[in-house]
Amino acid sequence: MNILILGGTGEARSLARLASDEPGLTVMSSLAGRVGAPVLPDGQVRVGGFGGVDGLRTWLRDNEIDAIVDATHPFAAAITANAVAAAAAEQLPLVVLRRPGWRERPGDLWRRVPDLHAAAGALGAAGRRVFLTVGRQGVAAFADRADCHFLIRAIDAPAPPLPERHEILLARGPFSLDDEMLLLTGHRIDVLVTKDSGGPLTEAKLTAARTVGVPVVMVDRPPLPAGVVSVATPFEAMEWVRAQRPKIAGSRSNQSRTARS
Ligand code: NAP
């Protein structure tokens, strides 16, 4: 059985590790190729876009993929939409592995907004010092906020357009609570902006914000396409993969009967 894991997340790497230990399973992970030095998953890896839904369909056929786990980041909506469309067209089973979002706790000062542009409009008064942790590709939405100062943290440097007053901090999580508190206080941060990525690796900034009383603008996740099956952990995704095996064996024997007749 050949499975494709659409990756780029820690959960995708955990699943690749689990699946690589499973007898009779060939695992191919796919990365978009966005970051300079990605952490590579176990098993086979391919890098780069497929060329939209049609390109993905061709790739799935060429590589005789039997099932797809979309373990991409909760904000990677385009690849998820493509994967769902391609799986439906190729009649392949697909599951989305999506870590749960973050939950507001007592003491948090969160404002939820639907997207990055709404976040740019929700920073509050001019002159505020903003800690921006929305990923390299999200920074452009804040380019018009020349009235605020931005501390931008990303794995790789963001490309222009950037807000006029900014400082860039290149770093990859996980981050410790102590370091996050030092960063918020040392840079005199007035507001933290983050996407609701969920997961423990970058959660310390939220605890730090709660502790030092910094408000948070939290960008909501894009919704999943209708009718898609989703699971929350790599273990659940692995269970889903195992459950596909008899169905796939059945459909393969039907295909070979049809080919013979
Ligand atoms: P996106 O907007 O949903 O996808 C844009 C295009 O990039 C897709 O149409 C596809 O190109 C290609 N692509 C995306 N993920 C791919 C993958 N795993 N394998 C092969 N091609 C892929 O994606 P994004 O938000 O730019 O994220 C890119 C990658 O970074 C994803 O793998 C995601 O898991 C990871 N990531 C994203 C974020 C985030 O905040 N968005 C954060 C952390 C990690 P084609 O149409 O040519 O196939």
Side-chain angles (χ1 to χ4, degrees), residues 159-208:
L162 302 178
E164 193 179 311
R165 295 159 58 203
H166 71 262
E167 189 178 333
I168 293 175
L169 180 59
L170 296 182
R172 189 198 297 264
F175 304 103
S176 76
L177 178 56
D178 283 351
D179 286 347
E180 296 294 56
M181 298 224 302
L182 266 177
L183 196 143
L184 291 179
T185 51
H187 287 264
R188 293 177 286 113
I189 296 298
D190 297 308
V191 58
L192 161 67
V193 183
T194 179
K195 300 191 289 193
D196 185 5
S197 300
L201 289 188
T202 55
E203 194 176 11
K205 64 189 171 191
L206 299 174
T207 312

Side-chain angles (χ1 to χ4, degrees), residues 4 6 30-31 46 48-57 59-60 79:
L4 168 65
L6 295 166
S30 175
L31 304 178
R46 66 164 298 285
F50 296 96
V53 177
D54 290 343
L56 179 53
R57 288 184 64 182
W59 189 94
L60 292 169
I79 186 69

